[in-house]
Amino acid sequence: MKTMLMRASMLAVMFSGVNLMFAQEDATTSMRDYMAPEKANRNVFEDPKGASPEYDGVKVVVGGDFALQFQGLDHWTENKNLGFVKDANGNNTTTPNYLYDMGNDFNLPTANLDINAYLAKGVKMHLRTYLSARHHNEAWVKGGYIQIDDLDFIKPGFLGEIMKYARVKVGMDEINYGDSHFRRSDNAETINNPFVGNYIMDSFTTEPFGEVYGFYKNFIGMVGVSNGKLNQTPIKGTSWNSPSVYAKIGWDKQINPDLRVRVTGSFIQTNGWNTGSYLYGGDRAGSRYYYVLLTANDAVGTSNQSTGGFNPGLKKMQAFQINPFIKYQGLEFFGIYEYVTGLKSLTATRGNYTQLGAELLYRFGGKEQFYVGGRYNNVSGKDNDDAATLERKIDRYQLGGGWFMTKNVLAKVEYVNQQYNDSKVWGATSPLQGGKFNGLMLEATIGF
């Protein structure tokens, strides 16, 4: 009852905020207080740097997202050890170890609540709450940040020539490593993802961070630091921790009305044994492919929320990601080359993984309200970089399309096929050994 009342209260706040947003439409549009999840912002990466609007009092905008999927996936495995678990004597036990029987039905709807504020000239705040997620059914705060593009709150014109090109961003939210996190589904905010699922090795984590940006003509540079941890505590524990450092450099230009080209490179170094493993395992909301390749022994509900994804689990590590983006008229390409290397423990030899990704879309219609396209994604690598260690490989392709019914409402359809190589490195009784899943996904999303 308490949870229902909380959700009802938050929804009331959300819908009252809609009136507030429209009442201040001219002001909020000019101040660009946040990147609204709608069609016009689908290929916006970092918030563009521009002249800050004048400040005449605190302005608040309340928005939100809603997403719902219909899942029609099937799965199977080549692992002959599945069926029943063998005991120490090699005899079958009575504990079943077979795959869940998958049906066609709706997934749990997800919802976000966004609060965005203009606090001073060039000072913006963002806060996101997950009202409902696959991993957490209850409402909880994802994170937030403050973005500073002017220092007039210290003194009018303070360091004005520098702040024409600079930005400071501080918070407990997703760090700006790579460009793929701008095109992923963030729980219910899926309007910027042309497909239903995120990338296999999903570089997304929410950590305390500080970032400094530089913008000059068509170039962008950024350096950042975080403590590398998802869950925060001052207790040191048995493992040492050290800050993570990361950086990005890129070039983004609208060459002519038909052609835009963007290329960025990102790097991150994690330095402690309490850090690192979150970079590819920080999505607490959960993946879109529910319960694939889980057995009857595996917990469902809020456990195993990352089905279909892969976290290499490296801790002290280095990773870099290169992202080209090209849009020519209605044709759009986005790519990923990512390499990560590091250690799982003090005694482990160095492991490494490579991720490749390519999206090709064609947007059409009078307002590019329709699109069709495909995405290929591959992850391969070893936990230990030696000849005796077996290699993991995961391949996925997605084919689909979408229709922006309005600038805030998107309907998608996707066919997905994912398979894991038949390697014993996955585990003697793991369904991932030779595992496969495929089928149809439908998703509807609203963002405002």
Side-chain angles (χ1 to χ4, degrees):
M1 185 67 179
K2 183 178 179 180
T3 302
M4 292 178 64
L5 290 173
M6 181 183 296
R7 290 185 184 176
S9 300
M10 288 188 173
L11 287 172
V13 171
M14 177 187 292
F15 288 117
S16 66
V18 175
N19 294 329
L20 176 62
M21 180 175 66
F22 285 116
Q24 299 179 347
E25 182 176 2
D26 293 339
T28 57
T29 300
S30 64
M31 77 181 191
R32 290 193 60 81
D33 59 305
Y34 79 116
M35 298 306 301
E38 59 185 37
K39 174 174 171 287
N41 294 323
R42 64 186 181 273
N43 287 326
V44 175
F45 296 86
E46 291 83 11
D47 190 359
K49 178 71 175 179
S52 300
E54 293 302 319
Y55 175 74
D56 58 358
V58 173
K59 294 183 176 67
V60 179
V61 178
V62 178
D65 304 275
F66 177 83
L68 175 64
Q69 307 85 41
F70 182 87
Q71 178 170 304
L73 301 180
D74 196 9
H75 60 173
W76 62 98
T77 181
E78 302 297 328
N79 192 338
K80 305 303 181 184
N81 293 324
L82 290 184
F84 290 91
V85 178
K86 296 183 180 298
D87 61 21
N89 298 320
N91 300 316
N92 288 334
T93 68
T94 59
T95 303
N97 194 36
Y98 49 82
L99 292 177
Y100 278 110
D101 187 15
M102 300 285 280
N104 302 327
D105 214 330
F106 290 97
N107 289 331
L108 174 74
T110 55
N112 295 351
L113 172 65
D114 289 340
I115 299 176
N116 305 276
Y118 196 55
L119 304 176
K121 184 179 179 180
V123 180
K124 310 172 186 179
M125 185 211 75
H126 167 79
L127 176 70
R128 170 161 291 170
T129 297
Y130 292 162
L131 296 179
S132 176
R134 174 182 176 184
H135 186 45
H136 284 267
N137 297 332
E138 74 279 8
W140 54 286
V141 175
K142 171 223 173 180
Y145 61 82
I146 188 168
Q147 179 176 299
I148 302 173
D149 286 292
D150 274 291
L151 296 175
D152 283 21
F153 62 90
I154 298 176
K155 180 183 177 182
F158 185 70
L159 298 181
E161 289 302 313
I162 294 176
M163 296 308 293
K164 285 182 181 180
Y165 309 102
R167 168 181 295 162
V168 177
K169 192 173 177 180
V170 179
M172 169 73 190
D173 204 79
E174 60 189 85
I175 63 174
N176 189 10
Y177 163 75
D179 279 355
S180 60
H181 72 102
F182 293 112
R183 295 173 67 91
R184 70 186 298 280
S185 296
D186 184 14
N187 195 41
E189 187 195 354
T190 75
I191 208 162
N192 292 318
N193 185 350
F195 299 93
V196 176
N198 292 327
Y199 281 91
I200 296 171
M201 212 160 67
D202 186 18
S203 53
F204 168 85
T205 178
T206 53
E207 301 171 359
F209 70 86
E211 297 172 350
V212 178
Y213 290 78
F215 300 86
Y216 183 72
K217 295 184 177 179
N218 301 113
F219 292 92
I220 177 175
M222 184 275 302
V223 292
V225 60
S226 81
N227 73 347
K229 296 194 295 185
L230 184 71
N231 297 312
Q232 307 307 313
T233 176
I235 299 174
K236 184 175 181 180
T238 58
S239 299
W240 60 274
N241 186 43
S242 185
S244 300
V245 293
Y246 54 98
K248 176 185 283 190
I249 188 169
W251 182 79
D252 189 341
K253 184 175 183 179
Q254 189 73 43
I255 296 175
N256 58 51
D258 292 331
L259 178 62
R260 176 187 174 191
V261 177
R262 173 185 169 99
V263 182
T264 64
S266 301
F267 174 81
I268 186 169
Q269 165 82 52
T270 63
N271 297 302
W273 296 110
N274 284 334
T275 63
S277 60
Y278 297 115
L279 180 61
Y280 303 103
D283 181 15
R284 292 170 289 173
S287 83
R288 282 296 181 251
Y289 305 127
Y290 282 51
Y291 311 133
V292 292
L293 294 172
L294 292 182
T295 72
N297 285 332
D298 295 318
V300 292
T302 59
S303 300
N304 291 305
Q305 79 275 10
S306 299
T307 47
F310 174 68
N311 178 12
L314 303 174
K315 297 181 182 293
K316 189 177 181 182
M317 67 178 190
Q318 305 84 40
F320 67 86
Q321 184 178 129
I322 298 173
N323 302 110
F325 172 77
I326 302 171
K327 181 172 172 58
Y328 178 73
Q329 295 182 354
L331 194 63
E332 187 176 300
F333 173 81
F334 177 78
I336 291 179
Y337 175 81
E338 187 167 21
Y339 179 79
V340 56
T341 180
L343 305 173
K344 282 192 171 182
S345 68
L346 286 168
T347 59
T349 57
R350 183 163 291 272
N352 58 80
Y353 284 87
T354 300
Q355 175 167 235
L356 302 175
E359 297 177 13
L360 187 63
L361 303 176
Y362 182 68
R363 300 184 186 271
F364 59 98
K367 298 180 180 179
E368 291 191 351
Q369 69 268 35
F370 305 102
Y371 67 87
V372 294
R375 175 196 284 170
Y376 174 73
N377 193 192
N378 168 271
V379 171
S380 61
K382 299 178 178 182
D383 280 349
N384 296 295
D385 192 13
D386 55 58
T389 303
L390 297 174
E391 186 176 35
R392 288 186 172 95
K393 291 183 180 180
I394 312 172
D395 282 283
R396 179 200 292 172
Y397 67 85
Q398 297 155 267
L399 302 173
W403 173 30
F404 282 93
M405 302 167 64
T406 74
K407 68 177 184 177
N408 302 100
V409 181
L410 172 62
K412 311 179 199 177
V413 59
E414 171 188 289
Y415 173 82
V416 60
N417 184 295
Q418 181 165 319
Q419 54 186 342
Y420 300 72
N421 65 326
D422 192 6
S423 172
K424 293 181 181 180
V425 71
W426 296 108
T429 59
S430 171
L432 299 184
Q433 183 178 323
K436 304 176 184 178
F437 69 86
N438 64 19
L440 197 66
M441 298 287 298
L442 304 175
E443 183 172 62
T445 182
I446 301 170
F448 59 92

